[in-house]
Amino acid sequence: MALFALFGPPAITLLLFLIGVFPYALWVTRKKPSRKARLAAVGSAAALAAYGAGTFYGLAYANPLDLCATRTANGDYVDTGRDYSLESATVHHFPPSVTCHWSSGYSTNDGAFWTTPLLYAGLACATVCFTLILIDRSKRRRAPRGNALDA
């Protein structure tokens, strides 16, 4: 596995977070959003960054076989340290990962181990916070606005 394939996804995730920090800081200082809105934004950003890194890792490569094995001089893909050859690789879009199928009959899931938990944690946080925001807004709409009926 290339050194860039190992350190690329964390670097891309960090870059995506840093790109998002400036607009987030402007939004928080100017609009003063609620804690639920801020957590919804952070959860969405975490999910997007994890998906971006996972997609970059497994799907942006021209040949996902390069993620699974090393290529020999005669063009075959083999497992480093073993005598198994790579038969195929399956790319999954959600959650982003690559499954490597070997001649011995076993399959391995290749991908950054942290992208899937971060993706699901971000989605869960964003979903819960957006739901709470919608519940609060619907309660405010139903609440009576004044004492017009008391006259």
Side-chain angles (χ1 to χ4, degrees), residues 41-127:
V42 169
S44 298
L48 285 172
Y51 189 78
T55 302
F56 173 78
Y57 185 77
L59 306 178
Y61 279 87
N63 192 359
L65 297 176
D66 291 336
L67 293 174
C68 296
T70 55
R71 194 172 197 164
T72 61
N74 61 357
D76 294 334
Y77 287 93
V78 295
D79 194 6
T80 306
R82 297 188 183 107
D83 293 330
Y84 305 128
S85 62
L86 184 64
E87 291 184 349
S88 65
T90 307
V91 177
H92 305 282
H93 299 285
F94 192 85
S97 66
V98 176
T99 303
C100 308
H101 306 283
W102 301 94
S103 62
S104 65
Y106 74 94
S107 297
T108 57
N109 191 4
D110 197 13
F113 67 92
W114 50 270
T115 56
T116 302
L118 182 60
L119 175 68
Y120 284 129
L123 287 175
C125 178
T127 302

Side-chain angles (χ1 to χ4, degrees), residues 118-136:
L118 182 60
L119 175 68
Y120 284 129
L123 287 175
C125 178
T127 302
V128 167
C129 290
F130 280 131
T131 303
L132 291 174
I133 289 169
L134 290 175
I135 289 171
D136 286 348

Side-chain angles (χ1 to χ4, degrees), residues 28-40:
V28 168
T29 56
R30 290 186 181 187
K31 297 286 185 175
K32 307 278 192 256
S34 67
R35 176 178 281 174
K36 293 172 199 162
R38 289 190 315 250
L39 285 174

